[in-house]
Amino acid sequence: MTDLFSKFDPLIQQRETLLATGVTDPYNLVMEKVISPTVAICNGRETILLGTYNYMGMTFDPDVIAAGKDALDKFGAGTTGSRVLNGTYQGHKECEEALKEFYAMEHAMVFSTGYQANLGIISTIAGKGDYVILDIDSHASIYDGCAMGNAEIVAFRHNDVEALEKRLKRLPPEAGKLVVLEGVYSMLGDVAPLKEMIRVSKEAGAMVLVDEAHSMGFIGENGRGVAEAQGVIDDVDFIIGTFSKSVGTVGGFCVSNHPKFEILRLVCRPYVFTASLPPSVVATAATSIRKLIHGSNKRAHLWENSKVLHKGLRDLGFTLGTVEAQSAIIAVIMPDLEKGAMMWEALLDEGLYVNLARPPATPANMTLLRCSLCAEHSIEQVGEILGRFERAGKRIGIIG
Ligand SMILES: Cc1ncc(COP(=O)(O)O)c(C=O)c1O
């Protein structure tokens, strides 16, 4: 018998080697108690959270929590069914209405996760004989959506408009084409040049899908994302997003103005063949989305936090993923996985949680300490975070 697990041996070996150094397992941390969007108890210690996607701090918003409790009481714990059968409740429709209002778009479709939204939309609309043209650093859910569909896949160099244009020009003019982009790329926190990319895509007759998972709620005047900030939202055919970041709960969605969009509810397998979100979740999502419409003060504060942290880390001598803060994600580049894990642990000892990101999730084999800020971090907390980075960085020898 061939052990089907033997393919994981190199990863098992790498993990064992790392843990043999005595470092805490960075992928096994338990949040024993969550006190607020920015503070939790980890290993019995009060810890500042700097590695969540809770950009707008909505997880503890009192209106959001009240809406969830009310829906739990009135509609029960779950729907036990697919959106197309018994799984569409009033709350799912309200959530879709809130999304249509938030994006000022005609159609909204709520999925059980953002992962499934990408999986479903990409695999369903790009079929045999069509082409999906995607940035090489695209999120796993985009790649998996491509793998699930039958279209030809063409990747281009990260954020390179010329490379995209070249690829598009090589494709048969009459073929169906879907260009898939992200507003903010989650590993380095860099923003896509959507304006130019959408221009070349449209010139080549392609439809455009933008995943705004890490920009929704924060970037753009109304928090609609990078496409809004760059003035091209009307040229985007499909926006994909998630409730697991700024919205503060779980779920995914696609919004669009395409006149035939509603047919997707019958043909999109990751929408049809899975249970719908629980009533409490869609109630929290709808309430949160409606509040995010009026989140301009929080957006301004989150920008301030991001800029202060970026400058502070750069001044301390850390190497960062972007020259300036482009989003609420600030990536600190580590020399290697071992040093990255040591620094991650040193920060945890200081009472600071960040994400340790490593290949294959990261571009160019980088090990990153990804910091993501929250609109609920006070400016004093950001100062405290910098102090903890300085102490840990000197202890581990990342900075002098
Ligand atoms: C760019 C991007 N798209 C989609 C997703 C999936 O979102 P969800 O957590 O709702 O499945 C993520 C999650 O990390 C993401 O970063």
Side-chain angles (χ1 to χ4, degrees):
M1 182 187 80
T2 304
D3 183 1
L4 293 168
F5 277 61
S6 56
K7 57 174 99 45
F8 307 125
D9 287 349
L11 186 61
I12 291 169
Q13 186 58 50
Q14 188 193 44
R15 183 179 148 78
E16 281 173 0
T17 308
L18 181 68
L19 295 181
T21 65
V23 82
T24 310
D25 185 353
Y27 303 112
N28 215 0
L29 182 79
V30 177
M31 306 260 164
E32 288 136 27
K33 191 161 188 259
V34 181
I35 293 166
S36 73
T38 62
V39 178
I41 306 292
C42 306
N43 295 337
R45 190 186 201 291
E46 193 166 297
T47 302
I48 297 181
L49 300 175
L50 190 67
T52 76
Y53 294 134
N54 199 357
Y55 299 122
M56 297 294 278
M58 299 306 280
T59 49
F60 279 82
D61 182 280
D63 296 327
V64 169
I65 289 177
K69 283 183 178 166
D70 189 48
L72 192 58
D73 286 342
K74 290 191 178 137
F75 291 91
T79 67
T80 72
S82 155
R83 284 297 307 273
V84 291
L85 295 173
N86 59 308
T88 294
Y89 287 14
Q90 193 54 33
H92 298 82
K93 292 319 269 179
E94 276 165 21
C95 206
E96 288 172 347
E97 289 306 313
L99 283 166
K100 288 196 258 178
E101 196 181 316
F102 184 87
Y103 283 100
M105 290 218 181
E106 293 287 315
H107 305 281
M109 201 166 152
V110 167
F111 289 76
S112 297
T113 62
Y115 178 89
Q116 282 161 290
N118 269 330
L119 204 63
I121 296 291
I122 295 170
S123 66
T124 308
I125 62 178
K128 202 168 168 49
D130 299 329
Y131 289 84
V132 178
I133 306 95
L134 81 171
D135 188 293
I136 198 142
D137 287 353
S138 292
H139 188 259
S141 57
I142 294 174
Y143 274 105
D144 292 356
C146 292
M148 187 174 154
N150 289 316
E152 297 293 325
I153 311 306
V154 180
F156 63 90
R157 211 169 80 148
H158 178 55
N159 271 351
D160 187 332
V161 181
E162 250 178 61
L164 167 62
E165 193 171 22
K166 252 193 221 157
R167 298 283 184 286
L168 282 166
K169 282 191 172 149
R170 276 196 221 136
L171 302 179
E174 70 289 353
K177 301 176 198 80
L178 178 68
V179 172
V180 179
L181 306 166
E182 292 178 39
V184 171
Y185 284 85
S186 63
M187 286 299 133
L188 296 177
D190 54 332
V191 158
L194 286 187
K195 193 172 179 166
E196 294 76 18
M197 290 189 149
I198 291 174
R199 180 180 54 75
V200 300
S201 302
K202 292 284 153 175
E203 279 169 9
M207 286 188 162
V208 177
L209 179 154
V210 182
D211 180 333
E212 296 272 17
H214 293 274
S215 39
M216 181 197 185
F218 171 37
I219 296 182
E221 191 186 343
N222 300 289
R224 290 175 188 153
V226 176
E228 180 187 34
Q230 296 186 12
V232 288
I233 196 162
D234 292 340
D235 298 321
V236 176
D237 297 282
F238 309 97
I239 292 180
I240 295 279
T242 172
F243 301 156
S244 71
K245 310 197 191 301
S246 286
V247 178
T249 176
V250 68
F253 65 88
C254 179
V255 292
S256 174
N257 282 326
H258 196 290
K260 298 179 187 167
F261 186 77
E262 295 297 324
I263 195 63
L264 290 176
R265 293 188 198 273
L266 296 182
V267 293
C268 183
R269 295 166 71 87
Y271 177 85
V272 175
F273 293 104
T274 195
S276 64
L277 289 168
S280 54
V281 169
V282 278
T284 55
T287 307
S288 177
I289 292 161
R290 289 196 191 283
K291 289 195 87 166
L292 288 177
I293 295 174
H294 309 289
S296 52
N297 289 344
K298 277 189 160 195
R299 287 191 261 284
H301 181 64
L302 184 50
W303 270 122
E304 191 193 353
N305 280 350
S306 306
K307 286 175 184 165
V308 171
L309 183 69
H310 189 286
K311 183 176 182 313
L313 288 172
R314 199 184 51 199
D315 289 350
L316 284 172
F318 288 101
T319 309
L320 305 182
T322 55
V323 176
E324 56 191 23
Q326 295 185 14
S327 68
I329 301 169
I330 315 283
V332 185
I333 302 173
M334 293 289 109
D336 53 47
L337 180 58
E338 197 178 319
K339 271 270 159 63
M342 283 164 73
M343 179 70 186
W344 177 86
E345 187 178 46
L347 287 172
L348 196 64
D349 289 345
E350 289 280 344
L352 181 64
Y353 174 78
V354 299
N355 288 145
L356 177 67
R358 47 168 285 182
T362 52
N365 270 335
M366 280 191 263
T367 297
L368 302 171
L369 292 181
R370 283 168 61 246
C371 308
S372 34
L373 287 140
C374 174
E376 294 292 324
H377 281 126
S378 65
I379 208 70
E380 291 73 30
Q381 273 177 317
V382 178
E384 187 57 45
I385 288 166
L386 284 168
R388 294 179 192 188
F389 254 99
E390 181 173 14
R391 286 192 293 277
K394 285 185 173 155
R395 181 144 53 92
I396 303 301
I398 307 281
I399 53 170

